[in-house]
Each structure stands twice: as structure tokens, then as C-alpha cells.
Amino acid sequence: MSECAETDELFMEAALEEARAAAIRGEVPVGAVAVSEGQIVSRAGNRTILDCDPAAHAEIIALRLAAQHLRNYRLLDVSLYVTIEPCAMCAGAMIQARIARLVYGADDLKGGAVRSCFSVLDHPQLNHRVEVTSGVLAEASATLLKDFFAARR
């Protein structure tokens, strides 16, 4: 395994920790961590129910916290690690923040906006491109979601 793959798995584990914490709160188990210069600068799990906010996805919260931490709304050197393929809202926020890289776990066949349903991040009319790595700890991410929804049925 390459050093980059090992690093990606390490940060994805942190995102999975956030997803597990979200599940304990009764939220859909999605987690995200923002990384700058090899350090986690923010971490979050879904909080839509807790915050009574449809925009409180893990990715949005992690981007907001990273911007506050770095004191810049442009997150040019930030990599965002997310347990599931981001939705259109979150992918749009990544473009607005100008993140450098997205690393995600499992594909979201019902709402993913990176490649499954839409291709927001590489739309030819956009003026920013995000490097994407998918499938990092995908099985663990997918299992967490499947188990969460199975317990609710």
C-alpha cells in the first residue's frame, strides 16, 4: 500500500468515527474531516436533526469549521474526507470553497453528485476542479449506512 493510500485510510477512519457518533445521535451516519497540511483542521458528522437544519450535512459543517479555523473562506489546500459520496448541495459547497481534493468512501447510487447520479465536480462550465479519490474504506462506510437503516425498519 502506498503512503498516500495509508494516509487516506487514516483520515477516512477519522471520518468514520464522526459517522458512528452521528448514528449514536440518531442522525444518518455520515462523517467528514477536513485536512490541511497533513493535519485535521475540522471534523463533523451529520447534524440535520440535532440542528433542525436541512443543510447541516457533515461536509457543510466540516467546511464551515475549516474556514473558521483557517480564517479563509477559500480552502485551496484542503482535502475533504467523507464517508459517502456527497450530494449536490455538498458538492456545490466544495466548488465554492475551492477545495483541492475530495476523498470519499462509498458511492451513493440514490443521490451522489460526484459520479453516481450527477457529476458536479467536473462540470465543464465550472472554473474550479476538485481532484477526487473514491472507494477509500468503502465497505466500512456502506456497512455503517446499511446497518443504520436496517435497524430503523
Side-chain angles (χ1 to χ4, degrees):
M1 183 180 302
S2 72
E3 183 178 337
C4 185
E6 286 179 19
T7 302
D8 285 349
E9 286 190 6
L10 176 74
F11 291 128
M12 189 60 74
E13 278 294 345
L16 280 164
E17 288 174 17
E18 293 299 318
R20 289 182 194 106
I24 290 168
R25 293 190 305 270
E27 302 276 0
V28 174
V30 177
V33 298
V35 175
S36 177
E37 297 181 0
Q39 301 294 317
I40 295 175
V41 294
S42 68
R43 51 193 313 146
N46 273 359
R47 295 175 49 118
T48 56
I49 298 167
L50 182 67
D51 291 356
C52 212
D53 178 358
H57 289 196
E59 300 95 311
I60 299 294
I61 296 166
L63 289 171
R64 285 178 180 158
L65 293 172
Q68 290 168 0
H69 176 83
L70 297 170
R71 299 171 113 30
N72 195 336
Y73 70 104
R74 294 287 192 229
L75 304 175
L76 298 171
D77 72 337
V78 168
S79 294
L80 190 66
Y81 290 79
V82 186
T83 56
I84 189 87
E85 180 181 4
C87 71
M89 173 183 68
C90 294
M94 291 173 209
I95 294 290
Q96 295 301 314
R98 307 291 197 266
I99 68 165
R101 183 169 181 238
L102 166 67
V103 180
Y104 72 88
D107 290 334
D108 181 357
L109 302 178
K110 295 181 180 178
V114 176
R115 69 177 189 190
S116 294
C117 294
F118 307 103
S119 297
V120 172
L121 297 182
D122 61 2
H123 192 281
Q125 289 184 286
L126 293 174
N127 64 348
H128 179 71
R129 296 289 179 274
V130 176
E131 178 188 338
V132 177
T133 301
S134 61
V136 177
L137 300 181
E139 188 173 331
S141 297
T143 298
L144 187 58
L145 279 166
K146 287 176 191 169
D147 290 351
F148 176 82
F149 286 113
R152 299 236 172 302
R153 291 186 186 122

